C-alpha cells in the first residue's frame, strides 16, 4: 500500500496514491482508517491556530493591493478550488513585477490541469479586480516540482 499524500480540508480529505497501487485495494483501508479515527472523538489538529487560513489573513502592514488579493483568494477563489479537493496558499506579491505567487495543495498539487486553473481562472480573476496584478505564478514544493518536471500523473 503506497499513499503519497493526505490533505485535510475544512470538510474533505484528499488522498493521493502511487501509480503501482490500485484504488480497489486502498479504498476500504482508507475508509476504515477514517471511520476509526472519527469514531475515536479525537481532534484532527491539536492546535486550532494552525488550522486557520493564516496565509490569507489580512495583516496591519499589508498594502491595499495585498489585502484585495487575499480577500479575493479567501472569498472567491479558495472555495472553488476546495470544491475540487484542493486548496491554494498565498505565498506573496511583488509590487514591482506585479506577480502573485501561489502554492497549489491537495488534489490540485501536481495536477496537470492546475496550470490551466492558475492561468485561466485565478490569474484572470485577480487581474480583473486588481489592476496591479500582471501575472500569477505557481510556487512548488520540492516533491511537487519533481512531479511537474517529470510529467508523472497524479490521480
Amino acid at each position: 500500500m503506497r499513499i503519497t499524500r493526505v490533505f485535510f480540508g475544512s470538510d474533505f480529505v484528499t488522498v493521493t496514491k502511487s501509480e503501482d497501487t490500485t484504488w480497489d485495494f486502498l479504498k476500504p483501508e482508507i475508509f476504515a482508517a477514517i471511520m476509526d479515527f472519527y469514531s475515536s472523538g479525537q481532534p484532527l489538529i491539536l492546535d486550532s491556530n494552525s488550522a486557520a487560513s493564516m496565509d490569507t489573513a489580512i495583516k496591519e502592514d499589508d498594502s491595499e493591493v495585498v489585502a484585495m488579493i487575499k480577500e479575493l483568494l479567501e472569498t472567491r477563489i479558495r472555495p472553488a478550488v476546495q470544491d475540487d479537493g484542493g486548496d491554494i496558499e498565498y505565498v506573496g506579491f511583488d509590487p514591482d513585477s506585479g506577480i502573485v505567487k501561489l502554492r497549489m495543495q491537495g488534489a490540485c498539487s501536481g495536477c496537470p490541469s492546475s496550470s490551466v486553473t492558475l492561468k485561466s481562472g485565478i490569474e484572470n480573476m485577480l487581474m480583473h479586480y486588481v489592476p496591479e496584478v500582471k501575472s500569477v505564478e505557481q510556487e512548488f514544493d520540492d516533491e511537487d516540482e519533481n512531479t511537474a518536471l517529470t510529467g508523472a500523473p497524479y490521480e
Side-chain angles (χ1 to χ4, degrees):
M1 175 161 69
R2 178 96 162 104
I3 295 175
T4 58
R5 180 179 298 164
V6 177
F7 179 75
F8 300 97
S10 60
D11 60 353
F12 65 89
V13 177
T14 300
V15 178
T16 306
K17 68 170 186 64
S18 63
E19 289 182 45
D20 60 340
T21 308
T22 66
W23 285 115
D24 293 337
F25 175 73
L26 286 178
K27 197 172 175 182
E29 296 292 325
I30 293 168
F31 184 73
I34 291 171
M35 294 309 295
D36 288 346
F37 176 79
Y38 280 111
S39 65
S40 76
Q42 295 180 342
L44 178 62
I45 298 174
L46 299 177
D47 178 13
S48 62
N49 290 333
S50 65
S53 298
M54 297 306 294
D55 63 313
T56 53
I58 298 173
K59 300 176 183 132
E60 259 185 57
D61 59 343
D62 283 343
S63 68
E64 187 177 327
V65 171
V66 169
M68 288 171 53
I69 292 168
K70 287 181 174 182
E71 177 73 18
L72 283 168
L73 289 172
E74 186 63 32
T75 61
R76 298 246 182 135
I77 297 168
R78 178 169 275 147
V81 173
Q82 288 176 338
D83 281 346
D84 287 335
D87 203 354
I88 53 169
E89 178 185 349
Y90 172 79
V91 177
F93 173 69
D94 180 357
D96 296 328
S97 65
I99 296 174
V100 175
K101 297 262 189 177
L102 302 174
R103 185 173 293 120
M104 306 301 274
Q105 299 176 325
C108 295
S109 178
C111 170
S113 63
S114 67
S115 60
V116 174
T117 300
L118 197 69
K119 289 293 180 184
S120 297
I122 298 170
E123 183 177 81
N124 287 345
M125 181 177 282
L126 288 177
M127 288 171 61
H128 176 77
Y129 288 104
V130 186
E132 293 83 356
V133 173
K134 304 298 179 215
S135 178
V136 175
E137 293 181 1
Q138 183 172 352
E139 286 256 319
F140 292 97
D141 290 333
D142 290 339
E143 183 180 312
D144 295 333
E145 191 165 9
N146 291 338
T147 300
L149 293 175
T150 61
Y154 266 58
E155 294 180 25

